[in-house]
Amino acid sequence: MKIKDTPIDLNKAILQKGPKFRSHKVIFEENVADLKPTMSSLWFCLVYIVVGLFLLMLAAIVYHNKKQLDFTLFLGGIGIAILTFGITLVMPFVKQVTFDKDRGTFKNNIDRAVKLENIITFQILNKMVTSKHGLSYPCYELNMLTKNGRRINVLNHNDIEQLTSDAQMLAEFLDVELIDLQHEIIL
């Protein structure tokens, strides 16, 4: 199957958002390639979790020592909100993404498993992430395309040199083609 014959618009980004830092790295061990979160991405999320837990503990101390219910509820509410935000941030970073040659599968615990024999190419695509506050930055996706016409996101972050290197190593690891569409920014 030729890539040009696919009904999928390869220039369209799968994800609209993306981090402004390198979120994952690819780790190769014999017949397995795993995507692991970087320490900086985990620390970023853990700061919110620690602050949320600190505020919850502070709320408990305030209530125990002063019996100030209104201030306790305020601190507890803010603590729960920040803790929930931190947990929500960390969830995409800790999802397990694996290319396993021994089992012959790709799993990301979001999409259904893909047989490695069905992966025909990897694709690098860039996009511009914009926010309401006018701050815009480039972000890059590494997607894979299957024989069945599925396109699945593998990586999504801002470090193009590392993403390109990871994409080349994954393409070589699986002996598939790599298409680089980063020549123009997709809005």
Side-chain angles (χ1 to χ4, degrees):
M1 171 196 262
K2 292 183 180 178
I3 301 301
K4 295 175 185 175
D5 297 334
T6 64
I8 298 171
D9 182 1
L10 296 178
N11 290 313
K12 184 177 180 189
I14 293 177
L15 305 174
Q16 297 307 310
K17 301 287 182 190
K20 196 174 181 177
F21 52 86
R22 185 174 71 157
S23 58
H24 290 82
K25 57 186 172 190
V26 180
I27 306 293
F28 293 91
E29 294 179 9
E30 294 185 32
N31 287 332
V32 176
D34 286 317
L35 272 68
K36 301 286 185 183
T38 61
M39 289 307 294
S40 60
S41 66
L42 288 178
W43 280 112
F44 177 77
C45 300
L46 287 176
V47 166
Y48 287 99
I49 293 171
V50 168
V51 168
L53 289 172
F54 172 77
L55 289 174
L56 286 173
M57 288 188 328
L58 187 60
I61 291 168
V62 166
Y63 184 73
H64 182 266
N65 293 338
K66 303 285 184 182
K67 304 289 188 237
Q68 291 180 326
L69 185 59
D70 57 341
F71 190 56
T72 299
L73 290 175
F74 174 75
L75 283 176
I78 298 294
I80 289 171
I82 292 173
L83 177 64
T84 302
F85 180 68
I87 291 170
T88 303
L89 277 177
V90 82
M91 294 308 288
F93 293 114
V94 296
K95 73 177 182 174
Q96 185 174 2
V97 178
T98 302
F99 293 89
D100 189 336
K101 283 185 172 180
D102 293 331
R103 292 192 173 121
T105 60
F106 162 80
K107 288 186 178 182
N108 66 1
N109 295 326
I110 295 173
D111 301 294
R112 66 182 189 270
V114 174
K115 292 182 179 180
L116 295 182
E117 65 193 38
N118 290 335
I119 299 171
I120 56 173
T121 191
F122 284 102
Q123 164 204 34
I124 298 174
L125 180 71
N126 58 328
K127 60 189 175 190
M128 187 59 72
V129 176
T130 57
S131 71
K132 294 183 239 179
H133 306 295
L135 300 173
S136 300
Y137 58 90
C139 192
Y140 306 92
E141 288 185 4
L142 174 61
N143 302 317
M144 67 179 189
L145 187 63
T146 70
K147 290 178 184 176
N148 302 324
R150 291 175 63 199
R151 196 168 61 128
I152 299 169
N153 180 260
V154 177
L155 272 172
N156 182 41
H157 62 69
N158 179 270
D159 186 345
I160 187 58
E161 290 83 17
Q162 187 62 50
L163 189 126
T164 302
S165 173
D166 290 342
Q168 289 169 341
M169 288 188 293
L170 279 170
E172 191 175 297
F173 177 72
L174 297 175
D175 193 28
V176 297
E177 181 183 11
L178 173 61
I179 300 172
D180 191 346
L181 297 175
Q182 63 175 313
H183 58 280
E184 59 183 68
I185 294 182
I186 308 300
L187 299 175

